[in-house]
Amino acid sequence: MIQKTALLVWVAFLVSTSFLWADEVRFQTTSDEMVKELTRPPVKYRSFASKKRTIAVAERINNKMEKTIVVVDENLDVPKLKIRIEFDYDSSALKKSSYTLLNEVGTALISNAIKDKTIMINGHTDSDGTQTYNLKLSFDRADSVKAYLVAAFNLPEERLQIRGYGELLPLKPNTIPYNKQINRRVEFEIVNR
């Protein structure tokens, strides 16, 4: 009887944790994973309702940050690298702990599979602070990532574009510190597939 109870508890534990893992956000960590993600075809989800929305973002136009409007299609899964680049609180300065991941990104960007592609670097924040402040912070963080990759991998500046989304596209609800950490990220995607 004790063995059956222990077995049932163990099975219940495995089933419950599998649901947690299934909902977990997947961050790429190696250049091979990054190349594989960026070269996969986009996936279009079927839906009766259009899940397109327009949002204000920060982009570099004529060498300065300007607000522009982009359309986000939530029915389209575009290949994107989700990278946990770490910054000091309220700062766009890269932490030393991020250099290893950024070196993997640089290695992926110079690989034969994507070396001729233009890349958009998207900065994201959590919801702490105002929307305007977070928009600028996310832009500045994407700009820091670009500057590092250009310097460390001798990439042409025009090959890397930047965009700040602020807090507008969270991966998880900004309700607990763990989720906020997940939402503070940098994403990379190929422009004009």
Side-chain angles (χ1 to χ4, degrees):
M1 181 69 174
I2 293 175
Q3 288 178 337
K4 280 186 176 180
T5 304
L7 181 61
L8 286 173
V9 168
W10 180 246
V11 169
F13 171 76
L14 287 177
V15 169
S16 67
T17 57
S18 68
F19 289 118
L20 292 174
W21 290 331
D23 191 34
E24 201 55 37
V25 175
R26 175 97 168 93
F27 289 92
Q28 293 81 19
T29 58
T30 69
S31 59
D32 289 339
E33 289 175 332
M34 294 171 189
V35 169
K36 184 177 179 182
E37 171 61 18
L38 285 177
T39 56
R40 76 169 171 82
V43 177
K44 180 80 173 165
Y45 297 110
R46 293 183 182 203
S47 175
F48 293 111
S50 174
K51 290 192 176 182
K52 290 184 180 181
R53 61 183 172 127
T54 57
I55 59 174
V57 299
E59 290 186 309
R60 178 167 283 130
I61 300 172
N62 297 325
N63 224 12
K64 64 180 183 174
M65 185 188 96
E66 293 196 23
K67 265 188 174 178
T68 61
I69 304 295
V70 296
V71 176
V72 176
D73 185 350
E74 295 175 2
N75 289 331
L76 184 62
D77 176 19
V78 177
K80 287 183 186 170
L81 302 182
K82 294 175 183 71
I83 308 294
R84 280 192 174 169
I85 305 298
E86 295 186 5
F87 301 90
D88 285 324
Y89 177 74
D90 198 23
S91 169
S92 60
L94 293 166
K95 282 187 161 189
K96 280 188 175 185
S97 59
S98 294
Y99 294 142
T100 301
L101 265 178
L102 283 173
N103 290 336
E104 291 291 325
V105 171
T107 300
L109 295 181
I110 62 174
S111 73
N112 287 333
I114 56 176
K115 69 180 179 184
D116 298 324
K117 305 287 187 187
T118 300
I119 304 296
M120 179 67 73
I121 304 171
N122 300 319
H124 299 271
T125 66
D126 61 28
S127 62
D128 292 348
T130 66
Q131 268 193 355
T132 301
Y133 179 80
N134 284 336
L135 198 61
K136 179 164 179 3
L137 181 60
S138 64
F139 176 87
D140 291 344
R141 287 176 172 177
D143 201 25
S144 292
V145 167
K146 175 183 176 176
Y148 177 80
L149 291 171
V150 166
F153 289 88
N154 199 28
L155 296 170
E157 283 199 46
E158 61 276 1
R159 186 172 167 225
L160 301 177
Q161 300 174 7
I162 60 172
R163 185 178 282 164
Y165 283 89
E167 63 193 68
L168 297 176
L169 295 176
L171 295 174
K172 298 269 192 180
N174 280 297
T175 52
I176 58 174
Y178 177 76
N179 287 1
K180 288 181 180 187
Q181 178 61 43
I182 287 174
N183 291 332
R184 293 190 294 265
R185 68 196 187 281
V186 176
E187 294 179 339
F188 298 79
E189 64 182 293
I190 293 175
V191 177
N192 298 329
R193 302 190 131 260

